[in-house]
Amino acid sequence: MGWLILGAALGMIAGLFSAKHFREKRVAKKPVTVAEFWVYTRHPRVPPQNAIVDRMVARSPYVNEESAPIGTREGMLFSDIRLHMAPVLRDKNPHAFRPDLFHESVEVSNEVLEGLADSLGFVRIGYKSETPLPDHRHLQFLPFLAEAVAELMKGQVIYDRHAQKIWTKAEFQELLQENNNVESSRFHLKTAWTQEGAKHRASLLGLSKIGRYDWIADQLDSDQEVLIMDLLRQSADQLWEGAEPPLEVEAFGDTFVVDLEGDLIDDMQPVQIKRRMVR
């Protein structure tokens, strides 16, 4: 009987340690903040820092009468150790030049394909933080850094790896010229509607830039596209401002609740969307 009691006690202790380990493992799975742009070019080299600073600050073509895109707040990131840039060669990473291997929602124009075909590599520009950030200055800084590298290295294509967006250099520069404030969720996130068998799937991509997992809602009908995409875009705006699920979103005269549901699927967070019933 004593051995049975001892065995049961040891089993309980082991169970507690296992539960603790599981909880720690779940905590360790918490996403980090990471954003990354790839600048495809025939000259995959990191430009000198003084040339980058000159393009982004002193000689920026994106300064207007109302504002400068890179000020003191953003300029602090020039020396931030969480910022990294590195050249990547095509012959060692051929898969990175195949858009068919990107997310299925990526739309590639003929001009982008020509730019990729003509590039010998790309400059990988990223920012990664293991701890929560106080603001979105890194998201104002990175697009202008990508543009500076593209301009200095005669880049042809710019790819947002986490939002799964891709542009020619000219298209990207036009976006920055239209609005030099690019911290918004509309610039850094993307909603995607894709088909999976007989059903459809909606995704919200790019949330890693604010330390979250991307969202996914599947088993949807084709006639739900307009509604679901609108709800995800509104949810993105709330998340961008620091709101936490469950989120209340209004569309077409109804109120919906968007909340997290279940475990991760391929590092994406499933969400459920329900109409709030009026009693």
Side-chain angles (χ1 to χ4, degrees):
M1 180 64 70
W3 286 107
L4 290 174
I5 295 173
L6 177 61
L10 291 174
M12 290 176 63
I13 294 172
L16 289 173
F17 275 108
S18 296
K20 182 175 184 296
H21 173 72
F22 179 75
R23 286 195 299 272
E24 290 176 346
K25 189 174 182 180
R26 295 284 291 184
V27 171
K29 188 66 176 174
K30 185 176 180 180
V32 297
T33 299
V34 58
E36 193 168 287
F37 289 82
W38 296 357
V39 179
Y40 289 86
T41 174
R42 291 186 58 82
H43 311 283
R45 298 189 302 275
V46 176
Q49 186 174 30
N50 62 339
I52 292 175
V53 174
D54 189 57
R55 172 68 182 182
M56 293 177 66
V57 181
R59 299 180 185 275
S60 172
Y62 305 104
V63 175
N64 57 43
E65 295 180 356
E66 298 178 354
S67 63
I70 304 299
T72 303
R73 185 189 75 143
E74 297 80 17
M76 295 175 65
L77 298 185
F78 282 116
S79 58
D80 194 322
I81 61 173
R82 294 169 292 189
L83 176 69
H84 62 272
M85 289 191 290
V88 179
L89 298 179
R90 183 189 192 114
D91 56 359
K92 294 184 179 180
N93 298 272
H95 63 281
F97 292 77
R98 290 185 53 187
D100 59 306
L101 299 180
F102 297 169
H103 190 273
E104 57 189 325
S105 68
V106 174
E107 299 178 359
V108 184
S109 65
N110 289 333
E111 291 77 12
V112 165
L113 288 174
E114 291 171 3
L116 292 175
D118 195 43
S119 298
L120 299 180
F122 61 88
V123 179
R124 183 177 182 178
I125 301 168
Y127 188 87
K128 182 177 181 180
S129 175
E130 303 284 345
T131 57
L133 298 172
D135 54 41
H136 296 162
R137 72 183 68 182
H138 63 296
L139 300 180
Q140 176 70 13
F141 182 86
L142 287 177
F144 286 96
L145 176 56
E147 190 279 338
V149 172
E151 185 67 21
L152 294 169
M153 293 290 98
K154 302 187 186 313
Q156 310 203 50
V157 172
I158 298 173
Y159 173 53
D160 182 337
R161 179 171 172 248
H162 293 283
Q164 297 291 324
K165 297 180 181 180
I166 195 164
W167 308 265
T168 64
K169 181 180 74 172
E171 290 170 339
F172 196 76
Q173 290 176 328
E174 185 176 349
L175 280 178
L176 301 186
Q177 200 69 59
E178 289 174 355
N179 186 355
N180 67 6
N181 184 343
V182 294
E183 283 190 36
S184 70
S185 62
R186 301 302 167 99
F187 186 94
H188 284 282
L189 301 183
K190 184 174 82 171
T191 52
W193 182 266
T194 53
Q195 187 161 2
E196 174 132 339
K199 292 290 186 176
H200 291 76
R201 167 179 290 179
S203 306
L204 179 56
L205 306 173
L207 287 174
S208 65
K209 299 177 182 183
I210 55 172
R212 297 178 181 272
Y213 287 110
D214 288 342
W215 281 10
I216 184 172
D218 56 13
Q219 296 299 305
L220 303 171
D221 295 324
S222 59
D223 60 0
Q224 295 178 290
E225 179 179 359
V226 174
L227 172 62
I228 298 298
M229 297 293 272
D230 183 33
L231 295 177
L232 286 183
R233 278 189 286 267
Q234 291 190 58
S235 297
D237 292 339
Q238 292 189 36
L239 292 173
W240 212 248
E241 297 301 322
E244 293 291 338
L247 306 174
E248 286 197 0
V249 183
E250 294 186 1
F252 300 101
D254 285 320
T255 300
F256 296 83
V257 178
V258 183
D259 201 2
L260 309 184
E261 179 184 43
D263 296 327
L264 299 177
I265 300 175
D266 296 330
D267 284 334
M268 297 187 74
Q269 174 63 61
V271 296
Q272 61 176 354
I273 301 173
K274 294 182 179 180
R275 180 181 283 105
R276 182 176 291 285
M277 303 301 294
V278 178
R279 295 182 179 180

